[in-house]
Amino acid sequence: MMEPTGRFAPSPTGRMHLGNVFSALLSWLSARSQGGRWLLRIEDIDPARSRQEYADLLMDDLQWLGLWWDGQPVFQSRRSDIYEHYFRLLQDKGLTYPCYCTRADLLATQAPHESDGRVVYPGTCRHLPPQDFPPSGGQRRAAATRLIVPDEDTTFTDGHYGTQRVNLARQVGDFIIRRKDGAWAYQLAVVVDDALTGVTEVVRGSDLLLSSPQQVYVARLLGFPEPRFCHLPLLCNRQNQRLSKRDRSMDMASLRQRFSPDDIIGRLAFLAGLLPQPQPMAAEALVPLFRWERVPLSSIEIDDWG
């Protein structure tokens, strides 16, 4: 039986905000309450946006909060050869194809889905003959690589939200596993990393809930064990918008000026239903109090914490 292993996998594209810390804390508590490991992975596969200085800051912030990790941090930017290997396996199965579509092409045929700006890919390039590859300035346009998905339900059980059933063909479409600029896409890299580092539990915000069936599908194609997914309610501002790195009053630079580590941890524990009222509390002291059934299901509105 595999050792319980959780992970936190932030992108170093800015300072962590309170929503990131909320996910990190609950992931850490879930792993520690099982007597398991907690790993840190720096998801820096987007070279245009990732910065080492942000990676250094988020590691310092985690240590300051008392959320220590096991082993050495994994940097995705150093694992391209590994992703290439598993990418080739999917290619060899005949499950990939080049895609020349732009977002503008897709928006010309349909409106963004729901409220997240997502567009379901209609399979435009799946059966495109080579002679029809669109030229660009006399040269072939750069292509992304998409993974073919079946027109059937992918089912998994979320540890917090219960049974999830998604038809990838109808709700997502064939999705990208390598970008036009050659960078590895999230849906491939995260599956490979979770499997090879022994991650058994993935705790993250509910905005990534639809990513899970895509990752389940990739894991099954590659013969990897599937981690247990547990998604969290989002922290939102008074306009019911989820916190982002644009909310500077809620980023760690601002919070560290105004609060102690125990203040932040205790306030988040209250929001997570682990404490009856906000009070300073070290992360370690919360481990015996952690229960998934105490965590709310709906989004959590917060003020600016004065």
Side-chain angles (χ1 to χ4, degrees), residues 286-298:
L286 289 170
V287 173
L289 303 179
F290 181 78
R291 301 287 187 279
W292 273 109
E293 57 268 24
R294 295 178 178 175
V295 179
L297 293 169
S298 301

Side-chain angles (χ1 to χ4, degrees), residues 77-299:
S77 60
R78 304 171 188 174
R79 296 169 63 82
S80 185
D81 289 347
I82 297 172
Y83 306 140
E84 181 78 40
H85 170 74
Y86 289 100
F87 174 78
R88 296 297 179 189
L89 292 181
L90 295 173
Q91 279 192 321
D92 292 344
K93 291 175 181 284
L95 292 172
T96 67
Y97 61 89
C99 176
Y100 298 86
C101 297
T102 65
R103 183 167 179 83
D105 294 332
L106 301 179
L107 290 175
T109 62
Q110 60 177 300
H113 187 70
E114 296 177 350
S115 61
D116 58 5
R118 176 169 46 90
V119 175
V120 177
Y121 185 67
T124 306
C125 292
R126 186 193 284 199
H127 305 296
L128 192 66
Q131 63 270 23
D132 291 340
F133 289 163
S136 177
Q139 297 181 341
R140 295 178 187 271
R141 185 187 301 176
T145 302
R146 289 188 183 269
L147 182 68
I148 296 172
V149 301
D151 187 5
E152 60 187 41
D153 287 350
T154 297
T155 304
F156 69 98
T157 301
D158 185 82
H160 194 45
Y161 288 100
T163 301
Q164 305 292 312
R165 184 173 288 104
V166 174
N167 184 298
L168 290 175
R170 300 177 188 177
Q171 294 174 251
V172 177
D174 300 338
F175 56 87
I176 291 173
I177 56 173
R178 194 170 198 172
R179 298 185 343 190
K180 291 181 180 181
D181 61 2
W184 300 105
Y186 171 73
Q187 305 296 11
L188 175 65
V190 69
V191 172
V192 171
D193 287 336
D194 284 343
L196 298 187
T197 56
V199 169
T200 62
E201 180 180 81
V202 174
V203 177
R204 59 192 180 190
S206 59
D207 55 323
L208 291 172
L209 192 56
L210 190 60
S211 286
S212 296
Q214 297 173 65
Q215 291 162 21
V216 166
Y217 175 60
V218 173
R220 291 173 182 174
L221 289 177
L222 294 174
F224 289 148
E226 300 164 29
R228 175 178 183 249
F229 293 96
C230 297
H231 288 82
L232 303 171
L234 300 179
L235 299 189
C236 297
N237 60 26
R238 291 176 177 174
Q239 290 72 46
N240 201 33
Q241 300 167 324
R242 68 184 178 91
L243 295 184
S244 73
K245 291 173 181 176
R246 293 185 298 272
D247 293 296
R248 294 299 177 87
S249 67
M250 287 293 169
D251 74 14
M252 284 301 296
S254 173
L255 294 170
R256 286 182 66 159
Q257 292 178 352
R258 295 182 287 151
F259 302 104
S260 71
D262 289 1
D263 286 332
I264 295 172
I265 294 296
R267 286 172 178 241
L268 289 176
F270 166 71
L271 295 177
L274 306 181
L275 294 176
Q277 60 188 18
Q279 63 186 75
M281 184 77 72
E284 191 72 41
L286 289 170
V287 173
L289 303 179
F290 181 78
R291 301 287 187 279
W292 273 109
E293 57 268 24
R294 295 178 178 175
V295 179
L297 293 169
S298 301
S299 298

Side-chain angles (χ1 to χ4, degrees), residues 8-10 12 40-44 55 58-59 73-77:
F8 181 53
L40 176 62
R41 182 168 72 232
I42 307 299
E43 298 198 335
D44 57 347
L58 70 87
M59 287 188 282
V74 170
F75 286 79
Q76 287 188 326
S77 60

